[in-house]
Amino acid sequence: MYEMIIDVDQMREDLPAIQLGLAVARQQQAFVAGVHIIQQIPSVTAIPDALAILEAEEESARRRAPWWQELCRRSNVEGGWEVFRGPYVPVLAHRSRMADLLVCSAPAGNQDFPVGWDNVTRTLFAGGVPVLLAPVAYEVRGAPARVLVAWNGSGESTEAIRAALPLLRKASEVHLLDGWRQTLPGFGPPALAVGDWLARQGVVVRQRRAFDPAEDAGVHLLREAEAMQADLLVMGAWGRSRLTELVLGGTTHYVLAHTHLPLLLAH
């Protein structure tokens, strides 16, 4: 059975991550776990008052199980409610290893950390599970139907496509931006027939175009997504280190900071 986790950082029914996650779960007939994490910082464990507050928050969160079950019932999906207390990233990364997809709010909406050091992208980097991100201002109309896939031959982009296959098979229109750059024979990996592979996987690519990932790739990807009115962009994440991207800039950093549509990322 396809398994999904929605990171319920805010218990709001109108949160795009929750709406998008439930829409995808309904489309995929998936089991969806709503996971709420009570952030516990080790330095405060010795403070009795702080621990009492955390315990009260945990108990309050556990009492929200009926709320989550009602959301799942209305979405016609099977789901469960889980509450954990501990360091956010290790807990979410550990739990997400038993899922096919993790759904979260896009980090650009979180001003507590710079993009790339927020909890969500650190979980992606640490846990290895593909992540579906929903911008906090995105209007969800259902599961993604028009999808732009960015591929450059990297392991990250290939893993992103693999993770997106269940959604791509259900999409009404898929466009592929092919950023593979040829190398001299024997000096790099061989070209992969990504179009043929997608066809064998039951994905119909409506349009395939080449692009140069070295030239403002982030700007180009978002421009192409807007042009096709995409409601999902699939791409690999952190081809370089997060520190390098933060200092020098990079495609992942740019797209995370500027996207207005959901992203499916894999590392």
Side-chain angles (χ1 to χ4, degrees), residues 83-96:
V83 177
F84 300 97
R85 177 151 54 103
Y88 206 101
V89 172
V91 168
L92 188 56
H94 181 70
R95 175 60 183 88
S96 66

Side-chain angles (χ1 to χ4, degrees), residues 4 14 22 35 39 66 72 74 107 109 172 184 215 229 233 255:
M4 295 174 54
D14 64 341
L22 290 173
V35 171
Q39 172 94 307
C72 292
R74 296 203 318 251
S172 61
L184 292 174
E215 296 182 3
Q229 297 181 311
L233 171 59
V255 171

